[in-house]
Structure formats: C-alpha cells, structure tokens
Amino acid sequence: GAVVSQHPSWVICKSGTSVKIECRSLDFQATTMFWYRQFPKQSLMLMATSNEGSKATYEQGVEKDKFLINHASLTLSTLTVTSAHPEDSSFYICSASGRAYEQYFGPGTRLTVT
Amino acid sequence: GENVEQHPSTLSVQEGDSAVIKCTYSDSASNYFPWYKQELGKGPQLIIDIRSNVGEKKDQRIAVTLNKTAKHFSLHITETQPEDSAVYFCAASIPGNQFYFGTGTSLTVIP
C-alpha cells in the first residue's frame, strides 16, 4: 500500500514553455500533498504544501505564479512550471500524506529546460 | 523553526558490517521521526519511523533509536549488503506540519 505515482518521470522542454507534472496517490486518499525540489547531492527542499480543495501554501522564496499547484481531488495534485527557464531544471518530487503521520514519496520527475 | 542535522555526510562500510547514521533536532515539539532511503534517480522510500512515545523500533536489519531528552535519533543497519548503498535522509516533524529533513548520508557498502 501507500503508492504514489508521478508523471512524467522525465521531461525536456524549451525555454519559455510550460510543463505540468502530475502526482497521484494510488491506494489511499491524500489529504495533503507536498512538492519538493532536489538539486544533485542535496536534500529535499519543500516548495509548497497543498490540501485538497484549498490553495497551496508556498514556502518563502518560491514564486507561486511560476509554480502553479492544483490539488483537485484527494488523489491528484499537479505542479505546473510556467515559462520554464534553464534554472528551473531540477528533480521535482511530490509526496502524499493521509490521516496518519507518514509521507509517501513519488518517484520524482526530472525536468530539463533547454 | 525546526533544524535537523545529520552525520556523517558519507559513510563507507564493508559488507556485513553495521552502519550508524545520527540526527539531531532542535524543536522539542517534534514527535515523529522517519527515515528515508533514496536510490539514484528515484524518490525517497520510507524505511522506518519512530514516534516520540517509543525509544527504539526494529524491523529486521534496520533499527531506529530515539533519545528525546538529548534530541537525537539514529538509524542502525546491521549485516549491511551492497543493495543498502543509497542516500539516507532523516526527518523530524510535528504531525500535520511539514517535515524537516537532514542533509543526507551517502552510504556505500563495499562487497
């Protein structure tokens, strides 16, 4: 149990375009979903927290107009990187939390902006 | 806010030996402490966790200990195997709040 999927697993896009990443909890209802960004050989950096049906809460320094998060249902959250630039290239990971303490992570999405 | 420190940053052990990774936290209100294993190019995988009302928890070759007074917790892996090689992250949280992650430990098990 507690499986979280992400799609796509990797994506290459041109500078200026937008990219949508999906995060799904497959076998449980995720009341809260989290989006992280991870640079090579570094820890996870929380970008935002989203609760189903509510606006996402963004961490300081994260541009909410650039990283659009939608938590449309208890099993789906999406992160859209708008007008992507090469500095947005990174490994993006979502996690989902149900009623218990645990956070279960997706497999991550490697974004490369050329 | 919470500050989690993790040591060592890299660790190499011979196959069959034990590995210990230590974390400290600053917020005494934190009461949930998970450990994650992350393999290259993959998302973190929860391997064990402990809540503050427990001092030790074991799952086969993996164990976690918690000292609330000293605000530190440790991951112990016994009889290490090459497939244990990965980056391990500790975290601390108050339920319902965000996780605060350590900086990670890159474990290499030498066959």
Side-chain angles (χ1 to χ4, degrees):
Chain A
V3 178
V4 177
S5 70
Q6 264 183 260
H7 178 81
S9 56
W10 60 272
V11 57
I12 301 173
C13 70
K14 292 187 176 181
S15 186
T17 62
S18 295
V19 174
K20 180 185 283 188
I21 302 170
E22 289 188 351
C23 177
R24 294 181 184 271
S25 57
L26 300 184
D27 53 1
F28 68 103
Q29 293 186 326
T31 52
T32 306
M33 286 187 168
F34 304 84
W35 287 94
Y36 294 85
R37 185 173 180 177
Q38 188 178 36
F39 293 102
K41 297 186 178 182
Q42 292 192 22
S43 189
L44 298 96
M45 181 185 78
L46 180 65
M47 299 175 65
T49 302
S50 73
N51 293 295
E52 185 263 340
S54 302
K55 289 185 177 180
T57 301
Y58 291 81
E59 294 300 301
Q60 191 173 7
V62 178
E63 299 177 60
K64 63 180 181 180
D65 293 331
K66 181 167 186 62
F67 298 100
L68 300 178
I69 291 171
N70 184 285
H71 193 158
S73 73
L74 286 171
T75 59
L76 173 65
S77 177
T78 60
L79 167 67
T80 301
V81 183
T82 62
S83 188
H85 291 285
E87 57 265 31
D88 298 324
S89 298
S90 193
F91 192 52
Y92 292 88
I93 314 173
C94 71
S95 71
S97 181
R99 296 186 184 278
Y101 294 177
E102 299 90 349
Q103 277 189 39
Y104 295 96
F105 285 83
T109 296
R110 173 75 57 195
L111 170 63
T112 301
V113 185
T114 61
Chain B
E2 176 67 278
N3 181 45
V4 178
E5 295 189 357
Q6 182 172 347
H7 299 281
S9 57
T10 60
L11 178 62
S12 291
V13 299
Q14 292 288 335
E15 181 177 359
D17 287 350
S18 296
V20 180
I21 303 170
K22 298 181 179 182
C23 287
T24 61
Y25 62 100
S26 60
D27 190 345
S28 57
S30 291
N31 59 1
Y32 176 62
F33 308 93
W35 284 89
Y36 289 87
K37 174 184 181 181
Q38 186 177 26
E39 297 177 343
L40 190 63
K42 298 184 179 180
Q45 177 188 8
L46 177 66
I47 56 172
I48 196 167
D49 58 11
I50 192 167
R51 291 166 174 72
S52 61
N53 58 345
V54 176
E56 182 175 357
K57 183 177 179 180
K58 188 175 182 180
D59 182 4
Q60 299 183 341
R61 297 186 296 109
I62 296 173
V64 56
T65 59
L66 171 66
N67 183 327
K68 282 210 69 179
T69 303
K71 297 197 192 72
H72 66 72
F73 56 112
S74 301
L75 178 70
H76 304 253
I77 306 175
T78 59
E79 301 173 28
T80 53
Q81 301 167 2
E83 50 265 38
D84 294 330
S85 296
V87 178
Y88 291 81
F89 290 99
C90 64
S93 82
I94 302 168
N97 289 7
Q98 68 178 79
F99 282 20
Y100 293 89
F101 286 90
T103 49
T105 297
S106 178
L107 172 65
T108 302
V109 179
I110 304 166

